[in-house]
Amino acid sequence: MLTDFAACGFATLPGLYTPTEVAAILACIEAAPAAGPSFRRSQDVFAIRNLLGEVPGLWPLLDTPALRTLLAELFPRGCHLTKAIYFDKPAGSNWLVAWHQDLMINVRERAEQPGYGPWTAKASWVAVQPPAAVLENTVTVRLHLDDCDATNGALRVVPGSHRLGVVPAETIAGHTAAAEVCAVPAGGAMLMRPLLLHASHRSTSPRPRRVVHLEFSAEVLPAGLAWREHLALIKTEVA
């Protein structure tokens, strides 16, 4: 899996969570109050940013031995969580995501540092594009809470595109001819590098697509910058 992940920039792990664990995660999210600046709700999407801050009871359900084993393989020297988001793409959603790379990280406040920029600020967070080395040492784990395929918004990815560095927006279309659909069963996870080119279509299925998006990194930000959602060093050692 690690060899394929290194070469392609993504990998699929079916069965990372059991059906019982998935049910408990969904119940915890559904019990959370759906109001505030971190919540976004429309007919096409329901999203919760700063997920663990808004739903603190969720992390004990996500922090399973299977996840710790995976993180130990990906980050032998340890890592920390830097971002957590929940996405719900309801049945028949017209929401689509164009081809892009995940280039921004969330930080607590703006502090000018060489190689960091451009910056953006929204109601409750500040984001910045870090040097490519930070993104190259980050792994996204997308936990799928529903079976997901091309009909209900599975990600389309361009294998190997994470090795292209930051791709100028005007040239992205020229790299997408070899795109693949990354189907993931409920309880499975998709691993991806932030620099991987990815997109998703509108949903044509009556099935939802609920995903917990987790980003992990071993990077330490320079003085003056701090991850907005930093979760203290995750112990990846397995008993």
Side-chain angles (χ1 to χ4, degrees):
M1 183 276 291
L2 293 180
T3 300
D4 291 343
F5 182 52
C8 297
F10 72 98
T12 301
L13 291 176
L16 185 64
Y17 289 80
T18 68
T20 299
E21 290 168 339
V22 169
I25 290 167
L26 280 169
C28 183
I29 293 172
E30 291 167 358
S38 294
F39 293 80
R40 176 188 171 193
R41 184 185 293 277
S42 72
Q43 64 180 5
D44 289 326
V45 63
F46 173 51
I48 309 173
R49 296 187 177 275
N50 186 24
L51 178 60
L52 300 184
E54 297 291 346
V55 191
L58 189 59
W59 178 244
L61 302 176
L62 295 170
D63 186 21
T64 62
L67 178 65
R68 290 196 297 271
T69 297
L70 173 62
L71 294 176
E73 294 177 354
L74 293 169
F75 299 97
R77 297 184 179 180
C79 66
H80 42 267
L81 183 137
T82 62
K83 186 184 293 185
I85 310 172
Y86 172 70
F87 293 113
D88 178 3
K89 195 169 194 173
S93 171
N94 286 323
W95 168 44
L96 61 78
V97 179
W99 287 105
H100 68 288
Q101 298 169 296
D102 292 338
L103 299 178
M104 308 295 280
I105 62 172
N106 293 341
V107 295
R108 293 181 184 173
E109 59 186 15
R110 182 165 180 160
E112 301 295 339
Q113 291 288 346
Y116 284 77
W119 293 80
T120 184
K122 296 188 179 181
S124 59
W125 72 87
V126 177
V128 63
Q129 181 174 324
V134 175
L135 301 174
E136 290 166 353
N137 198 22
T138 297
V139 175
T140 298
V141 178
R142 289 171 55 91
L143 167 61
H144 284 257
L145 305 175
D146 303 288
D147 292 333
C148 184
D149 57 28
T151 69
N152 66 333
L155 285 191
R156 300 175 67 210
V157 299
V158 179
S161 56
H162 65 300
R163 294 176 292 182
L164 299 175
V166 177
V167 180
E170 63 272 15
T171 70
I172 286 178
H175 297 284
T176 60
E180 298 180 7
V181 174
C182 191
V184 185
M190 176 191 175
L191 313 183
M192 59 180 284
R193 292 291 185 182
L195 290 175
L196 184 78
L197 287 169
H198 57 286
S200 70
H201 281 318
R202 296 178 174 89
S203 178
T204 59
S205 166
R207 295 181 292 112
R209 189 212 68 178
R210 294 169 291 185
V211 173
V212 173
H213 172 113
L214 304 171
E215 294 183 15
F216 298 92
S217 179
E219 287 289 316
V220 177
L221 298 180
L225 286 177
W227 302 101
R228 180 176 183 268
E229 299 173 54
H230 182 274
L231 184 64
L233 188 66
I234 293 169
K235 304 298 184 181
T236 57
E237 296 84 4
V238 179

